[in-house]
Amino acid sequence: MSNAPTALVTALADRYRVERELGAGGMATVYLAEDLKHGRKVALKVLKPELAAVLGAERFVQEIKTTASLQHPHILPLFDSGTASGFLFYVMPYIEGETIREKLNRETQFGVDEAVHIAREVADALDYAHRHGVIHRDIKPENILLHDGRAMVMDFGIALAVSAAAGGRMTETGLSLGTPHYMSPEQATAEKEITARSDIYSMGSVLYEMLTGNPPHTGASAQQVIMKIITEPAADVAKFRKSVPRNVAAAIAKSLEKLAADRFESAKAFADALGNPGYTSATFAASAEAARTARRRVSAPVLAASLLATLALAGWISTASRSITPPVKRTRFTIVVPDSARIRPEEWGQNFAISPDGSSIVYPGGEATEQLYLRNLNDLRVTPIPGTETARQTKFSPDGKWIGFVQNNHLVKVPLSGGPAVTVADSALAFAWGDGDVIVFTWRGSLWRVNGGGGSPALVVSPDSSKSETFVWPFLLPDGKSALFDIVTAGDQANAQLAVVRLDDRKIVRLGIAGRNPRYVATGHILFGHLDGAVSAAPFDARSLRVTGPAVTVLDNVFIKSGGASEYAVSQDGTLFFVQGDAYGQVLAVDHDGGSRPLLSEKRSYSLPTFSPTSDRFAFHMAERTSFSKSDIWVYNDRTRTTTRLTSGGNSTAPAWMADGERVVWMVRDSAGVHVRRQRWDGSGTPETLFGGDQEILAVAPAPRGNLWAVIRNGGYSDIFVAEGDPPGKPRPLVVTPMGEGGARISSDGRWVAYYGDDSGQREVYVIAMSGDGGRHQISLEGGGEPVWAPDGKTLYYRAGGKMIAAGIVTTPTFTVTSRQVLFPDHFRGTGTYAFYDVSRDGKTFLMIGNSNEAAQRIIVATGWLDELRERMAQGAKK
């Protein structure tokens, strides 16, 4: 009498007589049944109810049709499939014999010739299926039946059918689509795109076990096994069984390569290598040596990350195989660091990074010397990384063993285990580091490509110069063949557009979404920031390179800088960390000791505040709450404590005062270019246009006295020009180099121009005579930006290394820097380039943007965040 559910037996009574249960697996229960129409024994496999409830009958039956067409002597065919009383089932021949698992349980190991023969038959079946577009995805000893000396692969394509029919909702079933010991690294890291080479890895693992009695990687838990699959080379099979021929050992080693591209190009090539006594793999010796090295020495990052890696893997398994381990617990906590290694989120660039396994973070920090610090999440200590002073744009290598960064405009990497720095590229800004050791970086607004080991960079794609476009913030997709990035047009940071470029044919696909600093995560979504501190997510098809649904806000209050850099990151396992910081700030009056009081306490998107010559008023640029991309010029009158709106239209920025203290100069950007205008501060009178329709103007700064002007122009890189007259005449070049200069400010006597320059390889503050004679004078010593003259011309202020610095200046008989004094720790908003602050007429008060608790920026860590992301996206889709 059958022990099958009565409803199932009754529903199938006209076609199958269910006799008894044969066994149960992760997805199905198997019954012996008689096919009444054909008078034959069959294996009736019934999906577990909780899985059937998620799949739905119609979709499952449609997807499983693909496997029904496979006809091969080493593939167990599919006879039938369908639904009965809510049960989903499929039918295969009942063949008496045993699986490889059953034989291993009985005999521990196979004979060498027998094992190789079986592997070649399975490889032949895989090659046939792969050529018909079907990948098994679950090759393991339990799925290979041995009958009359022949191998028969079972459940071919069932895993794919279930996965496809589930539509990405396997997490709702709590069931497994894979066995950890035989998963390829790309399956273990939950990559969305699985190729035929994944089956080759799995078959290599099965052959390894047939020969040695154990799979390539073992452990006390599923987490340990998957960690080893991802991080450790498999030991040489001949180490455990000396009778294994060298060609077989070499073929197995190649089949078990971590990188799919390093494995055999086809299952047939694997089978041929197994049968060719003369086969040797060029990678075999290196793999064997790597295995020996890994056994002798475990890298420092892996040791330090062990606890968090286990947590990370638990997070993955909660998604892919919850029958193995319970889901990762969602937690949120704040990282605390000592004052000597305080975090520095205000520095330009996307500088905070999380390791691929989610076990550690790297961040810029420090008090006396700014450098990168490593913090393992299972350790309370932070460790400085030597050789990373003034590092920006931090990224982990894909294997987590290196940290890459931009230093003095050079792309550099250092090993986390210790060792000298290696220069990867001589000129770079933002970059992405992806699988296959591919690096894509930006330089002069274009995207370039270079190998992580260095070499000559190759141009990927340049922007359309006629549209004043710049390409920034690249991020490599998991296949290493395409890169996300954003396009900034005519300097409009708030309305940057997301795009993706294919590296092979250099085709750009514009995604039709405004956003900054995009990334891709394993849930199949792209994340991107906004200048108001929000982070959004949108579903993204990495194969067709298109957005497939609406964007949903998934994070708030993330520290995002004016250049679009978003200080957050997500590891492969779904550990999120971000720097928490209010995107809105206050206008503060700050004294020389760093003490502050609010002048405008309402939190808004203030920027570029500037005192009038009398210091009783100040102008500033403020974005609208309803549209962060729209901004206008406002003036605050300290005598009346009132704020007046000077401009409207949402396209005005960069205010500056004329020497008379009555008129404000600002820039308007529209489709015709940049217009420089001025008007009385109270809005009376008619706005006057000083320059019109010039696409290359970036900023204009009138002198505190006289009719002198500093003009920043964009000639590919920003350069400094000066003009005279009222209105100003044609600007003449003052500082023009192949690198960038900007932030120009004219001294009160009109003789000197302070500015920042990049041409030394590091941003520094300089002063040059207005006439251009006498060369330049370097003011900062170890980096600096945002220079502002004191009204008396005897002090030049600048920001460097998280500090506000006052440089004493004398100009007669020669120009000399007499002192450099640190005034206070600089926790306030800045750009590193154009002054984001100003100094009062008496030199005692700084006008700055920030919050009273700006020093309390926090690093937040959240584990299990990808599950939270899925939930938020599902909720957003229902709205």
Side-chain angles (χ1 to χ4, degrees):
M1 180 66 186
S2 167
N3 57 353
T6 302
L8 174 70
V9 173
T10 303
L12 294 176
D14 61 334
R15 287 185 284 168
Y16 301 103
R17 182 171 63 246
V18 183
E19 298 182 1
R20 61 185 170 88
E21 182 179 322
L22 294 174
M27 294 187 295
T29 302
V30 187
Y31 300 96
L32 175 64
E34 182 179 356
D35 181 347
L36 299 178
K37 180 177 180 180
H38 300 97
R40 60 188 177 185
K41 299 292 185 181
V42 295
L44 175 69
K45 297 195 174 186
V46 181
L47 296 189
K48 291 191 173 181
E50 57 267 41
L51 178 57
V54 173
L55 300 184
E58 183 178 350
R59 184 74 189 276
F60 172 72
V61 172
Q62 175 185 345
E63 294 291 346
I64 207 170
K65 286 180 181 179
T66 304
T67 65
S69 63
L70 297 178
Q71 302 295 322
H72 188 275
H74 297 298
I75 294 178
L76 199 64
L78 180 70
F79 281 168
D80 189 15
S81 64
T83 178
S85 296
F87 295 95
L88 300 184
F89 70 91
Y90 57 101
V91 180
M92 308 185 99
Y94 172 69
I95 296 178
E96 294 195 6
E98 62 181 344
T99 64
I100 288 179
R101 170 60 62 219
E102 290 168 334
K103 183 166 181 173
L104 283 169
N105 289 342
R106 190 179 73 254
E107 299 181 2
T108 306
Q109 292 171 304
F110 283 52
V112 173
D113 291 342
E114 179 187 18
V116 172
H117 176 73
I118 291 170
R120 295 189 69 194
E121 289 186 338
V122 174
D124 189 42
L126 291 174
D127 183 66
Y128 167 83
H130 294 165
R131 285 185 285 108
H132 286 77
V134 179
I135 301 167
H136 193 289
R137 293 171 178 248
D138 197 18
I139 291 293
K140 57 187 177 181
E142 291 81 353
N143 275 340
I144 302 173
L145 183 68
L146 304 175
H147 173 67
D148 290 339
R150 276 196 311 146
M152 303 283 288
V153 183
M154 297 186 293
D155 287 356
F156 218 112
I158 300 301
L160 174 61
V162 171
S163 179
R169 294 179 293 147
M170 281 301 295
T171 54
E172 299 176 26
T173 70
L175 298 173
S176 169
L177 276 187
T179 304
H181 295 87
Y182 313 98
M183 285 180 177
S184 64
E186 54 268 33
Q187 284 180 300
T189 53
E191 289 188 17
K192 191 173 181 180
E193 188 72 21
I194 301 299
T195 69
R197 298 191 191 205
S198 178
D199 281 350
I200 294 172
Y201 182 98
S202 299
M203 188 56 225
S205 300
V206 173
L207 177 55
Y208 193 105
E209 185 171 0
M210 285 194 289
L211 292 171
T212 68
N214 288 298
H217 300 290
T218 59
S221 66
Q223 294 99 316
Q224 291 181 6
V225 172
I226 295 178
M227 175 185 281
K228 290 180 179 180
I229 288 173
I230 296 170
T231 63
E232 294 186 10
D236 181 3
V237 70
K239 173 188 174 183
F240 305 106
R241 193 164 178 182
K242 297 186 183 301
S243 59
V244 175
R246 299 311 296 165
N247 72 297
V248 173
I252 292 174
K254 187 173 179 66
S255 72
L256 297 178
E257 286 285 354
K258 300 297 182 194
L259 186 64
D262 289 339
R263 297 175 210 144
F264 291 100
E265 67 275 13
S266 67
K268 181 180 184 302
F270 183 24
D272 290 345
L274 291 172
N276 178 9
Y279 173 78
T280 59
S281 170
T283 63
F284 180 52
S287 298
E289 176 59 28
R292 288 191 291 271
T293 301
R295 290 191 295 273
R296 290 195 302 264
R297 174 180 58 82
V298 179
S299 67
V302 172
L303 283 173
S306 58
L307 177 60
L308 263 294
T310 299
L311 183 62
L313 291 166
W316 181 89
I317 294 169
S318 74
T319 299
S321 52
R322 290 189 179 178
S323 62
I324 299 171
T325 189
V328 61
K329 184 178 180 180
R330 297 187 197 176
T331 61
R332 288 199 179 214
F333 55 90
T334 300
I335 290 182
V336 178
V337 298
D339 289 342
S340 60
R342 71 175 183 86
I343 69 171
R344 302 284 290 278
E346 74 278 1
E347 299 295 351
W348 184 87
Q350 202 272 309
N351 303 322
F352 290 65
I354 191 167
S355 61
D357 64 4
S359 67
S360 56
I361 66 168
V362 165
Y363 72 91
E367 196 69 65
T369 300
E370 181 191 347
Q371 60 186 318
L372 296 181
Y373 286 83
L374 174 69
R375 165 71 188 270
N376 294 311
L377 297 187
N378 63 339
D379 193 338
L380 296 178
R381 297 169 297 175
V382 294
T383 304
I385 303 175
T388 61
E389 292 76 13
T390 69
R392 299 286 182 270
Q393 309 291 14
T394 314
K395 299 287 185 298
F396 276 90
S397 63
D399 61 8
K401 296 180 180 179
W402 295 77
I403 194 72
F405 51 90
V406 174
Q407 188 179 55
N408 301 333
N409 289 331
H410 299 303
L411 179 55
V412 181
K413 66 176 184 178
V414 297
L416 287 171
S417 57
V422 177
T423 298
V424 179
D426 290 331
S427 301
L429 290 177
F431 73 99
W433 200 344
D435 290 342
D437 212 18
V438 175
I439 290 178
V440 172
F441 64 89
T442 60
W443 184 246
R444 297 190 174 183
S446 299
L447 296 178
W448 299 74
R449 175 179 180 171
V450 70
N451 183 271
S456 299
L459 178 65
V460 176
V461 65
S462 292
D464 186 343
S465 59
S466 67
K467 297 180 180 178
S468 297
E469 292 180 341
T470 301
F471 296 164
V472 292
W473 308 126
F475 184 94
L476 279 158
L477 293 174
D479 61 3
K481 298 178 181 178
S482 303
L484 293 162
F485 64 101
D486 53 85
I487 302 174
V488 177
T489 302
D492 187 0
Q493 299 286 344
N495 288 312
Q497 297 293 309
L498 300 184
V500 62
V501 60
R502 293 199 297 250
L503 302 186
D504 53 359
D505 62 7
R506 305 178 182 180
K507 181 179 179 181
I508 294 176
V509 179
R510 296 177 186 248
L511 301 182
I513 292 181
R516 307 308 312 270
N517 211 174
R519 303 102 195 266
Y520 178 84
V521 291
T523 56
H525 297 94
I526 53 172
L527 306 176
F528 50 94
H530 305 279
L531 297 186
D532 62 357
V535 172
S536 298
F540 180 74
D541 188 330
R543 287 182 294 182
S544 64
L545 304 181
R546 63 186 183 91
V547 173
T548 59
V552 175
T553 298
V554 294
L555 285 174
D556 292 299
N557 204 28
V558 176
F559 199 96
I560 298 180
K561 283 159 269 193
S562 59
S566 308
E567 292 298 11
Y568 73 96
V570 184
S571 67
Q572 292 175 354
D573 75 289
T575 299
L576 162 77
F577 93 105
F578 64 96
V579 179
Q580 188 178 59
D582 197 336
Y584 296 114
Q586 301 167 308
V587 179
L588 305 173
V590 181
D591 60 33
H592 275 225
D593 294 325
S596 65
R597 61 181 176 85
L599 296 176
L600 293 178
S601 58
E602 182 185 9
K603 289 189 175 182
R604 296 290 297 270
S605 56
Y606 308 107
S607 61
L608 303 173
T610 178
F611 273 122
S612 69
T614 55
S615 298
D616 59 349
R617 294 185 288 267
F618 62 84
F620 57 94
H621 154 203
M622 183 172 68
E624 296 182 8
R625 286 190 181 276
T626 57
S627 177
F628 198 80
S629 63
K630 294 183 178 181
S631 62
D632 281 298
I633 308 302
W634 298 69
V635 176
Y636 175 77
N637 189 332
D638 190 49
R639 293 178 180 175
T640 61
R641 302 290 195 272
T642 57
T643 303
T644 302
R645 183 172 189 151
L646 179 59
T647 70
S648 60
N651 58 352
S652 299
T653 187
W657 288 88
M658 294 294 296
D660 60 15
E662 296 295 323
R663 292 173 295 174
V664 177
V665 178
W666 72 93
M667 295 198 309
V668 176
R669 188 182 299 276
D670 58 25
S671 58
V674 176
H675 311 269
V676 178
R677 293 177 180 162
R678 69 180 173 190
Q679 189 176 5
R680 281 186 55 84
W681 69 270
D682 59 3
S684 62
T686 302
E688 177 186 4
T689 298
L690 303 178
F691 300 94
D694 190 332
Q695 292 280 7
E696 295 186 352
I697 291 182
L698 298 177
V700 172
R705 297 175 187 170
N707 296 319
L708 300 174
W709 307 75
V711 180
I712 313 301
R713 297 176 62 88
N714 181 15
Y717 261 93
S718 57
D719 297 304
I720 298 173
F721 292 73
V722 293
E724 299 182 31
D726 189 6
K730 182 179 180 180
R732 62 174 174 83
L734 180 63
V735 184
V736 177
T737 75
M739 305 298 287
E741 297 84 28
R745 290 289 188 104
I746 301 174
S747 63
S748 57
D749 61 8
R751 295 176 55 204
W752 307 96
V753 177
Y755 68 98
Y756 77 82
D758 289 337
D759 59 311
S760 70
Q762 176 171 279
R763 182 163 296 157
E764 300 282 6
V765 173
Y766 300 96
V767 170
I768 190 172
M770 189 74 169
S771 63
D773 299 329
R776 68 181 183 181
H777 308 276
Q778 184 170 335
I779 309 301
S780 59
L781 296 179
E782 297 179 350
E786 301 186 52
V788 173
W789 290 99
D792 62 8
K794 297 179 180 180
T795 303
L796 182 64
Y797 301 101
Y798 63 94
R799 308 171 88 162
K803 302 174 183 65
M804 180 61 69
I805 298 175
I809 304 290
V810 295
T811 59
T812 56
T814 60
F815 187 97
T816 306
V817 180
T818 59
S819 64
R820 295 177 181 87
Q821 178 187 0
V822 175
L823 298 182
F824 51 82
D826 182 11
H827 303 299
F828 306 97
R829 306 291 171 91
T831 65
T833 54
Y834 296 91
F836 221 66
Y837 70 100
D838 203 4
V839 181
S840 63
R841 184 177 182 181
D842 61 10
K844 295 181 179 180
T845 303
F846 293 91
L847 189 64
M848 309 194 83
I849 307 296
N851 300 316
S852 58
N853 63 342
E854 194 73 33
Q857 298 294 345
R858 300 188 299 165
I859 301 178
I860 308 298
V861 177
T863 62
W865 188 73
L866 290 185
D867 285 339
E868 179 182 330
L869 173 62
R870 292 185 184 94
E871 292 173 2
R872 289 203 176 204
M873 296 305 294
Q875 293 169 358
K878 293 177 182 178
K879 294 181 180 179

